[in-house]
Amino acid sequence: MPRITLPDGKTKDFSGPVTAREVAASIGPRLARDALGAKIDGELRDLSAVIDHDAKIAIVTPKKRDGAPDPDALFLIRHSAAHVMAEAIQDVVGKDVQLAYGPPTDTGFFYDMHAPGRPITAGDFEKINVRMAEIVKEDRAFTRYEQSAEQGLARLRAEGNKYKVDNAERALGRSALRADTPAAANVGSESRPTHLSFYATGVPGTNWEDLCRGPHVPSTGRIGAAKVMSLASSYWHGDENSDRLTRVYGTAFATKEELDAYLAQLEQARERDHRVIGRHLRLFHIDEDVGQGLILWTPAGSIVRQELQNFVTAELVKRGYQQVFTPHIGKLGLYRTSGHFPYYADSQFPPLIERQTLEALGACSCADLANRVRGGEIDGYLLKPMNCPHHIKIFASAPRSYRDMPVRLAEFGTVYRWEQSGELSGLTRVRSFTVDDAHLFCTEDQVPAEVQGCLELVKIIFGVLGMRDYRVRVGLRDPDSNKYTGPAEAWDKAEAACRDAAKSLGVAFSEEAGEAAFYGPKIDFIVKDVIGREWQLGTVQVDYNLPVRFDLSYIGPDNRPHRPVMIHRAPFGSMERFCGVLIEHFAGAFPTWLAPEQVRVLPISEKSHGYAARVESALRERGVRVTADLANDRIQGKIKAATEWKIPYLLVVGPRDEEQNAVSVRARGGGGGGDTPPVPLDRFIAGVVREIGTKAAGLTMA
């Protein structure tokens, strides 16, 4: 007699095995109508899943209690839509299309497939979308059934789809897994699956079917709205030496309105793509001769980055931070102590070995050298993956007293990560990036106030940049895990400090168990940009681990050594990524204080070139970034060209303006021009200097 525990703690007893659908119906008819699936002891399952034991169950519906889309619901919808799209493609392109793998993703789903007859093209999309809509309208049930391993494999082999045979063998832990792989090591003969599961979109043996673990929504009609989106190339198992496949992307939502909103957001995102805008405004450059993922900041982009650094630096000085500089490399032993090497070696550039060491080794193979480096027999250097070990050594370089605490060290430090080439993307995923890093060394009693100060700094920065729509995520330890370092009482204090600090911000925050770093709890800022996309920007982490690893201490009031607590904080995170987000957030139209060019002076004819040059000089003397366009073009052409550079202010000057010592102001976005009366030059200069100095979000001189 299973006892079902619901999310609110209430229980329901059933006289025998019960399905998740029956549990939903026992709670209420509306829930039964809205249900898409269920979380059973934390595992996402079909509504048809049978429960024959005591279990915790949460029924999954399209919306959470707060009205936001439920991620589990989207997973079910998109996984199911992948099946619908695959069926539609085989109906439109040909039954000979061989399906390989089709999972849901954060934004939709994809299906890898091999089309031997003719290629799948974007020209097929309209027919595929029409067929998908028909299948959804038919509201066919997703029907799960199982076959024995031998029966299922024999069936798949008879169908001639080697990709599905491979999938099945891997699911069964058979020959497709090499004996030395982690997955194979975890599959003992006694725990290997004995059956394969299939899903029919309708009636088994009659309608379309696919090998699949599930789960799925109850029927195709529950998908709501789906659309095929794009094509790309892929390789079977991601191995470029294996079969080349076609990857078909799609997306799906619970309603057509949600799909339409997403498509509109995508269109805006394309228009705001920082890679396109960055190229157009000449903010940064990526050159193959320099290397993928290595950013060359142009003069214009360097201004944006430097203004951000100046802004943060001024705030840090107010808060008692001390600036430091550290080298771009360090000895491997340093990173062995911190734990960054060799545990994260796959995401780092290879170590650098001293020339004398290499010469002494003679004919040592690459594999032998790598093993000896990893084992610690050979030392070397590493392009630094993090700044914290260097800052720790600065803290440890002098005796510290409790009177010195807290010690706040800040650096715009460049670090290096080996990202796979397929994962690189503009400024947001790079191999070399600069972190607005700081590490605070404090006593345990100082942790709450220091965490609070870090959060206030992030709040100020986001406020000035107009990023006021954000939420906070507090990452806590998993009480059932033993991966965390440090005493429980220290964790209790640190988590309480993070909670209290998050509450003080006056914004929504969530607590997520298991999201803490192994050395301490953390606070992440999730910012929503102007088109509704979320970005993780800024983090504050409390660390009890590294002070132990490096045996840090300060002398307390009892004249005995005590262990400090370390706080990591980075409001921007990666400067490259943050600038990429800002470019898209502002669509390249930066507020005046950030704009690479703040004012352009446009004389209406050659007669006014002298006055234009004097206006330019007067602005430059006040620190305004200004140029004068003295080309012999027509004024309308000059205005059009300057507008494309998204310059905040254009000053049109002619003989009448010179007589009045004034300027005709055209603000970005259409303000000014036409019949707008000229503005006295000194008044404009004073106003724009004030706008820049206050870091105003809007154009105050419009």
Side-chain angles (χ1 to χ4, degrees), residues 261-562:
Y262 173 73
L263 296 176
Q265 184 188 81
L266 277 186
E267 184 58 35
Q268 288 191 61
R270 276 190 286 269
E271 294 173 358
R272 292 170 176 267
D273 189 329
H274 76 277
R275 295 166 296 183
V276 176
I277 294 174
R279 189 181 309 114
H280 175 69
L281 298 182
R282 299 178 189 170
L283 298 173
F284 65 92
H285 177 61
I286 300 173
D287 194 296
E288 285 296 324
D289 289 342
V290 176
Q292 290 184 322
L294 303 175
I295 305 302
L296 299 174
W297 290 93
T298 63
S302 296
I303 289 172
V304 176
R305 174 172 164 160
Q306 189 62 55
E307 286 291 343
L308 289 170
Q309 290 189 195
N310 292 345
F311 167 42
V312 172
T313 299
E315 293 295 331
L316 295 180
V317 170
K318 295 176 187 176
R319 287 163 173 74
Y321 283 79
Q322 298 170 290
Q323 187 170 352
V324 298
F325 296 92
T326 61
H328 289 232
I329 66 173
K331 293 187 72 172
L332 279 175
L334 178 71
Y335 303 111
R336 292 185 199 278
T337 302
S338 69
H340 292 105
F341 187 86
Y343 305 111
Y344 304 105
D346 290 344
S347 62
Q348 297 164 1
F349 279 79
L352 308 173
I353 309 302
E354 291 187 22
R355 183 178 290 107
Q356 296 89 330
T357 302
L358 290 174
E359 291 172 352
L361 288 171
C364 176
S365 70
C366 292
D368 184 42
L369 176 62
N371 289 333
R372 293 169 75 174
V373 169
R374 186 178 292 267
E377 182 181 342
I378 296 176
D379 202 1
Y381 292 84
L382 190 68
L383 286 171
K384 67 176 177 182
M386 298 287 280
N387 295 304
C388 34
H390 296 252
H391 291 189
I392 287 170
K393 286 300 185 181
I394 292 176
F395 175 85
S397 66
R400 305 289 180 177
S401 162
Y402 70 96
R403 294 186 180 91
D404 302 323
M405 311 294 272
V407 175
R408 306 182 185 102
L409 304 179
E411 176 185 18
F412 288 92
T414 301
V415 298
Y416 301 86
R417 304 284 173 80
W418 180 257
E419 300 283 2
Q420 297 298 319
S421 59
E423 297 174 340
L424 297 171
S425 178
L427 294 175
T428 57
R429 200 72 181 266
V430 294
R431 287 175 172 163
S432 170
F433 56 93
T434 300
V435 182
D436 62 324
D437 226 343
H439 295 95
L440 295 76
F441 302 87
C442 61
T443 68
E444 259 193 48
D445 292 341
Q446 292 170 336
V447 168
E450 292 304 309
V451 171
Q452 179 77 40
C454 291
L455 298 190
E456 288 173 356
L457 175 61
V458 176
K459 189 174 182 179
I460 288 171
I461 291 171
F462 287 171
V464 168
L465 292 169
M467 294 178 158
R468 294 180 173 84
D469 188 0
Y470 61 88
R471 60 185 176 86
V472 172
R473 180 174 62 205
V474 180
L476 307 174
R477 66 197 143 154
D478 180 349
D480 297 325
S481 175
N482 60 1
K483 75 172 185 177
Y484 306 101
T485 184
E489 57 271 17
W491 272 86
D492 292 339
K493 290 179 182 178
E495 290 182 340
C498 289
R499 284 193 187 95
D500 292 342
K503 289 176 184 176
S504 72
L505 288 172
V507 299
F509 77 92
S510 60
E511 297 182 8
E512 298 190 19
E515 290 300 313
F518 69 91
Y519 48 73
K522 64 175 182 173
I523 300 174
D524 295 322
F525 288 79
I526 315 299
V527 179
K528 185 175 289 187
D529 67 15
V530 292
I531 62 173
R533 296 171 302 177
E534 287 194 330
W535 304 85
Q536 181 180 326
L537 302 174
T539 186
V540 178
Q541 302 176 358
V542 181
D543 184 353
Y544 287 90
N545 177 55
L546 287 182
V548 174
R549 281 180 171 264
F550 284 92
D551 194 24
L552 299 182
S553 66
Y554 66 91
I555 301 301
D558 58 359
N559 208 33
R560 297 169 62 89
H562 294 263

Side-chain angles (χ1 to χ4, degrees), residues 170 173-174 176-189 191-192:
R170 287 170 179 267
R174 297 193 177 183
L177 284 176
R178 299 196 326 265
D180 59 346
T181 63
N186 291 330
V187 180
S189 59
S191 61
R192 289 177 179 172

Side-chain angles (χ1 to χ4, degrees), residues 125-188:
F125 284 5
E126 184 176 353
K127 290 182 179 179
I128 293 171
N129 282 325
V130 168
R131 181 61 186 130
M132 288 172 68
E134 291 172 350
I135 296 170
V136 169
K137 188 176 181 180
E138 290 167 8
D139 196 24
R140 288 188 251 141
F142 280 95
T143 307
R144 177 189 174 99
Y145 68 94
E146 293 185 350
Q147 291 183 335
S148 69
E150 296 309 322
Q151 184 182 7
L153 279 172
R155 165 192 170 172
L156 294 171
R157 289 177 180 133
E159 291 173 355
N161 185 336
K162 66 177 182 178
Y163 308 111
K164 291 297 180 180
V165 172
D166 188 36
N167 286 342
E169 289 179 335
R170 287 170 179 267
L172 295 168
R174 297 193 177 183
S175 59
L177 284 176
R178 299 196 326 265
D180 59 346
T181 63
N186 291 330
V187 180

Side-chain angles (χ1 to χ4, degrees), residues 82-118:
H83 281 224
V84 170
M85 183 183 75
E87 179 180 352
I89 288 173
Q90 288 188 326
D91 287 346
V92 170
V93 177
K95 300 297 184 184
D96 60 342
V97 172
Q98 293 186 323
L99 306 175
Y101 177 60
T105 68
D106 289 342
T107 58
F109 56 88
F110 67 80
Y111 218 123
D112 286 345
M113 51 189 70
H114 172 58
R118 71 167 179 85

